[in-house]
Amino acid sequence: MRVVMFGYQTWGHRTLKALLDSEHDVVMVVTHPKSEHAYEKIWSDSVADLAEEHGVPVVIRNRPDDEELFQQLKEADADILVANNWRTWIPPRIYTLPRHGTLNIHDSLLPKYAGFSPLIWALINGEPEVGVTAHMMDEVLDAGDIVMQRSIPVGPTDTTTDLFHKTVDLIAPVTIAALDLIASGRTDFTKQDRTQATFFHKRAEEDIRIDWSWPAETLERLVRAQSAPYPAAFTFHKGKRLEILTAVVSEGRYGGTPGRIFYREGEGVVIVAGPTAHTGHNHGLAITSVRTESGEELPATQYFKSMGGYLTTRP
């Protein structure tokens, strides 16, 4: 098939590479300009560079809603448009233009985790698996019929970075298998159960601020979710920002006030956590390594020279 691709960052790069390596003919690529947004400088393999290396015409757009682009797409005469990590709304006159419409590749197990940063949100929420979905685009974001879906289990110590590397390897097989089904003439794909749909916003600074009233189990997943190269989860100690690089759920149960720097346990320092911490039934978060405001990385047992005092949500 003649394919136009809309994509950005490493997700788009992997999709384009899969298309270039396939029997399909990539006739045009549309991608975003480079961004300084913290999350868009991560996994930033260039779609534009890969297209140009292979002699594929490239168009740079923030939004694909202008007349010039529409005319270029008409002239491209595509059988299908394939999108992955396109960050803005694609109007109906564009996603319905190719003969077979538009196939969108999304890194979640739709209908759950539509929208942004699905791996981070899924890990924080303790999902047992994550994956990649290829679906037909319609008027509702990430809501069209599912053509192909593959999943991987989430391990007990997996970080978002681990899950990124596992799911990004699913992009090529999912994309090409979906295109093969569409090329074969199939149109009866799986409807999404909209009662199960969840939709998440972009991550921001407020989303990585630690709230010690959360259960330790959730905070431990937040720390894993915000693994390098993502911005680390943070708290405040004596008015200064402190990033939590690694942590585990404590073995013991610790009662008291959330945020209390309480007890050395193994390689960690336990912080009281949870909405019912006063009962003494909760595990704490055993912090094992931190990064100070000046950028120094230290074992928690070295940073916390004495027990007592509090970690706080605000300075």
Side-chain angles (χ1 to χ4, degrees), residues 237-238 261 264 269 298-308:
H237 184 222
K238 298 179 180 178
I261 304 161
R264 286 192 179 90
V269 172
L298 295 166
T301 51
Q302 189 176 328
Y303 174 81
F304 294 104
K305 293 181 170 58
S306 61
M307 298 301 98

Side-chain angles (χ1 to χ4, degrees), residues 3-303:
V3 180
V4 167
M5 202 213 75
F6 276 50
Y8 188 51
Q9 293 178 279
T10 300
W11 296 271
H13 187 277
R14 286 292 188 99
T15 306
L16 178 56
K17 188 173 188 314
L19 293 169
L20 291 168
D21 290 344
S22 75
E23 61 186 11
H24 303 289
D25 183 17
V26 183
V27 294
M28 182 177 167
V29 164
V30 186
T31 189
H32 295 302
K34 287 183 180 178
S35 168
E36 291 304 306
H37 187 285
Y39 283 83
E40 292 183 359
K41 291 197 289 186
I42 299 169
W43 318 128
S44 57
D45 292 306
S46 172
V47 169
D49 290 353
L50 181 61
E52 286 165 1
E53 285 166 21
H54 288 81
V56 178
V58 178
V59 176
I60 309 289
R61 288 289 191 279
N62 276 314
R63 298 181 178 278
D65 53 6
D66 60 277
E67 197 60 36
E68 182 187 10
L69 176 60
F70 182 66
Q71 291 304 319
Q72 288 173 298
L73 290 167
K74 282 180 74 172
E75 290 165 15
D77 191 30
D79 294 302
I80 194 161
L81 194 156
V82 176
N84 192 348
N85 197 40
W86 184 261
R87 313 291 281 180
T88 58
W89 183 65
I90 298 176
R93 71 169 184 165
I94 287 182
Y95 71 70
T96 61
L97 184 61
R99 293 174 187 85
H100 295 289
T102 294
L103 181 75
N104 187 54
I105 315 300
H106 182 71
D107 56 336
S108 84
L109 298 174
L110 292 174
K112 291 185 176 181
Y113 298 95
F116 297 90
S117 304
L119 291 178
I120 295 178
W121 290 112
L123 180 51
I124 291 169
N125 291 331
E127 298 292 349
E129 59 182 7
V130 293
V132 170
T133 302
H135 70 94
M136 301 309 298
M137 188 174 285
D138 64 15
E139 68 277 4
V140 180
L141 185 64
D142 296 334
D145 294 357
I146 293 170
V147 181
M148 177 67 55
Q149 188 173 75
R150 292 195 189 177
S151 65
I152 53 152
V154 177
T157 61
D158 276 342
T159 65
T160 300
T161 307
D162 296 326
L163 298 179
F164 165 80
H165 288 298
K166 293 175 185 178
T167 54
V168 82
D169 286 342
L170 296 176
I171 289 173
V174 166
T175 302
I176 301 308
L179 288 177
D180 288 348
L181 283 175
I182 293 164
S184 75
R186 275 279 301 277
T187 55
D188 56 327
F189 301 121
T190 306
K191 299 283 183 195
Q192 291 194 39
D193 179 356
R194 300 308 296 158
T195 66
Q196 299 300 307
T198 56
F199 186 80
F200 285 81
H201 60 74
K202 289 181 181 181
R203 301 287 294 176
E205 178 89 346
E206 198 59 32
D207 305 309
I208 60 176
R209 183 190 304 275
I210 291 176
D211 181 341
W212 294 104
S213 69
W214 286 16
E217 293 81 2
T218 306
L219 293 176
E220 185 270 341
R221 293 195 300 268
L222 173 63
V223 170
R224 279 192 284 133
Q226 295 298 145
S227 58
Y230 297 98
F234 69 95
T235 185
F236 288 89
H237 184 222
K238 298 179 180 178
K240 293 189 175 181
R241 182 177 171 127
L242 184 68
E243 295 182 340
I244 311 304
L245 301 182
T246 56
V248 296
V249 176
S250 70
E251 293 181 14
R253 296 176 187 271
Y254 299 87
T257 302
R260 177 75 174 189
I261 304 161
F262 191 14
Y263 191 77
R264 286 192 179 90
E265 184 186 273
E267 298 299 312
V269 172
V270 177
I271 312 300
V272 177
T276 57
H278 63 281
T279 65
H281 295 151
N282 294 7
H283 292 280
L285 185 72
I287 298 172
T288 51
S289 66
V290 299
R291 184 189 293 126
T292 66
E293 209 169 59
S294 64
E296 186 179 11
E297 296 185 11
L298 295 166
T301 51
Q302 189 176 328
Y303 174 81

